Amino acid sequence: MLTAALVAACATANAQQAPMPKQITVKGKVKFDVPEGQPRKVWLSRDNGTGKPEVVDSVEMGKDLTYSFRIKQNHPGIYKLNVMYWDHITFWSDADVSVSSRGYDTARIKMKIPHFYYVQGSRDNDFINQMELNSTNGYLRSVEDYNLEYYAKQHKEKTGDSAWITYLNTRPRYNKAGDDAEMRRDLLLKIYKDRPVLIYALRYAGSPEDTTAYNNTLAQLDHLLKLYPWLSEAKNLKTTIINNRAQAMKLKPGQQAPSISYPDAMGQLQNLEKYKGKYVLVDFWASWCGPCRQAIPKVKELYAGYKEKGLEVVSISIDTDKKAWAKAMADEKMPWEQLLSSNKDKTMADFQFSGIPTLYLLDREGKIITKYTGYSPEAEAGIKAAIDKGVAAKPAGERRVMQAATM
């Protein structure tokens, strides 16, 4: 009879065997074509664990809106299809895969709403299928919950009938949308804990702000590396997460903001040190970012009302197209300093953000008071409260004043 230790050793030995196959076929079909003049291409990229997926191939779609790739590899990994800049589909490359997607939206008004596409492939690939479906449905449910509450409030304001909004605010719920999605996610992580495809979920699991989650993610990566020494993506991901954690510690409240040297619209290098003595709202944005552009009128109102109280705004664009940046500045007419990042990836790593707009509020000494993802009413209230109360940046454990001010 085999002992438990021997069974575990056999499982480890089997896991460490060279992964197969070393070549797979990817087949895809699109339902709707792009308008004339736009690229009818599909790009294939591989996630190497560094946070910067590498484009490895691209093809022109056929007249029948089909495409295919032949992937040669040393071991399986995470790949993503970018279909005509519209559909984005992820899969695990340990077997041939096929997928059908909608393609370019035919609606008159186009909105980038997440859509789930089932990728036919291996059992490990089904982990990504389930994670993608969970993420998509979680997002759509959150939008539905928001809309439901919004229209219930509108109904009360228009009719005086508060039954609907009262029901929504008081009815017992079995779970919040986010908690529901997290429970499904945690179950999948347990089921696939010994499979190399688990790295798909671990890419965003090592939150620098959550020490427990950070340590758990590193432990899971070490476990995968023990089972699959060939899984270079796990090794790269571990390094990336450790480096992100170290940088995130430098961005905590009370820390000095990273030093910058970015060109302005005239090409002259500028920094943040010259604003000492002022509160500074550092706004990371881009010309192509809809939420960034929508926030600008609100930031203008904030700036107009608080400039005399010591607030300055500095917008730092991560545009890679200088002409698009220049046009957006001309369109928006922002009355504060405009800078352009000379290296988008380094800027995003230095200031630890993946989405925009991201804003940092600095105190009069150039230290970080807090960080906001998106310009929301809560963010605006927090900025105003900090300036009104003359708050100085303090380490997280000493932020009682700031917490009270931003409630």
Side-chain angles (χ1 to χ4, degrees), residues 80 107 290 317 399:
K80 176 173 281 189
S317 170
R399 294 182 67 219

Side-chain angles (χ1 to χ4, degrees), residues 1-14 226-227:
M1 178 178 291
L2 293 176
T3 65
L6 184 56
V7 171
C10 291
T12 300
N14 288 335
K226 182 178 179 180
L227 293 176

Side-chain angles (χ1 to χ4, degrees), residues 64-76:
D64 58 352
L65 301 184
T66 62
Y67 59 90
S68 66
F69 292 97
R70 298 283 286 182
I71 297 177
K72 294 181 179 181
Q73 56 188 1
N74 294 323
H75 62 265

